[in-house]
Amino acid sequence: MASNLGCIGLPVDGEAGLGRLISQIRDSAATLGVVDGVEVKRWEDASGARLIFAVNRHDEVVDVLPSFADEPGALLTGIQLLNDAAAAASVVAADGEELTQLVIELEQRTLLRTRRLSDAVAASIIALGVDIVVHADADAFAASDASLLDPAGDPGDEPAARFTENGWPWPPRVAAMSFIPYGSFAEPHEAAAYARLAGVVLSASRRSNTISGQPFIAARVRSAGFEATVCYPDDDQPVPSPGAVIAGEVFLVGSLELPPPDDPPASRFSRRRRRERT
């Protein structure tokens, strides 16, 4: 499995390596805000790789989160911090219809402790591909074990009675655009931003982190209810083509966009989707 940092081309060697990395980028990082003496900073590389870190009054780094810069792919509402790291949210359509729910670590999580959000907020969704596989297309994914509802289980040769009665296919499988936020099944204090995601590739490119020189791949995908950018180590893999399916375990990171009062996020999100269709 890949590390979260490795997914954006920043493999580091333990806490000492992380400390050296932050020392290297600290002066070029922008300040997002300060809450109770904790300064939240964001460094962004030319490759799009981001590192968000928080520094307290004693100049100690108290929080680190890898991320990536990309356009919004979802509208989030009902954002609620579950613990120091993760937040729960609903993904909604522009008309307010709920599409799915997720648990995510937000770049602005420290700042949210003292800030109220509007009902709907445009957000970029970054899926760090800690354990993913790229399939040539939806048919290849559907034929693979990766599409099984329980890839680690043995469905057996005989379908369950309810499948036979309802004429459902056996064994049960997930779609090429599907999302299971299993990190949300835990108690709030243990909730984590891991999920099982499958998404159809819209575009993809190979990036090179200028700090480490390490390549990684960033692929924009459409999943169930939202678009996300999947980042994962290059590992000499070809860049996936549009129509390919990326599926597996991901760690979800998000960045909220807070537009001016006269430009509600739902309207902004709708305009972007209309531009994509033209």
Side-chain angles (χ1 to χ4, degrees):
M1 293 179 65
S3 69
N4 289 350
L5 284 165
C7 288
I8 56 169
L10 285 173
V12 298
D13 185 15
E15 291 188 9
L18 181 59
R20 289 192 295 270
L21 172 62
I22 292 176
S23 295
Q24 186 177 0
I25 66 176
R26 183 168 177 170
D27 289 344
S28 59
T31 297
L32 296 183
V34 180
V35 174
D36 295 333
V38 176
E39 183 181 16
V40 181
K41 299 180 75 67
R42 180 168 67 196
W43 168 81
E44 185 173 321
D45 184 59
S47 66
R50 282 178 172 175
L51 195 66
I52 292 81
F53 55 99
V55 183
N56 66 15
R57 294 184 177 93
H58 307 292
D59 206 36
E60 299 167 328
V61 176
V62 295
D63 192 19
V64 178
L65 180 65
S67 186
F68 183 80
D70 208 344
E71 293 293 320
L75 280 174
L76 302 184
T77 190
I79 299 172
Q80 178 183 5
L81 292 174
L82 300 175
N83 50 53
D84 289 341
S90 294
V91 179
V92 297
D95 62 3
E97 177 189 1
E98 183 175 300
L99 303 174
T100 189
Q101 297 181 339
L102 49 73
V103 171
I104 193 166
E105 294 201 8
L106 296 168
E107 293 184 4
Q108 298 86 356
R109 60 189 176 194
T110 301
L111 308 179
L112 293 181
R113 297 172 189 168
T114 59
R115 184 169 187 174
R116 294 180 62 86
L117 298 176
S118 59
D119 289 340
V121 182
S124 58
I125 307 294
I126 308 306
L128 301 177
V130 293
D131 189 11
I132 58 96
V133 175
V134 179
H135 305 266
D137 52 33
D139 289 340
F141 172 69
S144 72
D145 288 347
S147 68
L148 292 171
L149 182 61
D150 182 6
D154 181 6
D157 296 329
E158 296 296 326
R162 69 180 184 279
F163 281 79
T164 301
E165 294 167 0
N166 290 281
W168 296 340
W170 183 264
R173 296 179 182 272
V174 298
M177 291 186 289
S178 57
F179 179 69
I180 304 174
Y182 57 73
S184 65
F185 302 156
E187 293 297 319
H189 69 281
E190 296 179 336
Y194 288 99
R196 180 182 174 190
L197 177 145
V200 176
V201 174
L202 303 175
S203 61
S205 61
R206 179 175 285 109
R207 310 295 180 100
S208 181
N209 193 298
T210 59
I211 292 291
S212 65
Q214 292 290 319
F216 66 98
I217 291 175
R220 184 79 169 193
V221 305
R222 181 171 289 126
S223 187
F226 60 93
E227 291 182 9
T229 299
V230 182
C231 296
Y232 57 97
D234 179 83
D235 293 336
D236 296 324
Q237 301 180 59
V239 176
S241 301
V245 175
I246 296 178
E249 182 177 349
V250 299
F251 184 87
L252 294 179
V253 179
S255 181
L256 304 177
E257 289 206 347
L258 302 176
D262 59 348
D263 189 16
S267 299
R268 187 179 184 200
F269 184 76
S270 297
R271 288 199 301 272
R272 177 179 175 269
R273 297 303 292 269
R274 286 198 297 269
R275 289 197 302 271
E276 289 177 346
R277 291 194 291 266
T278 59

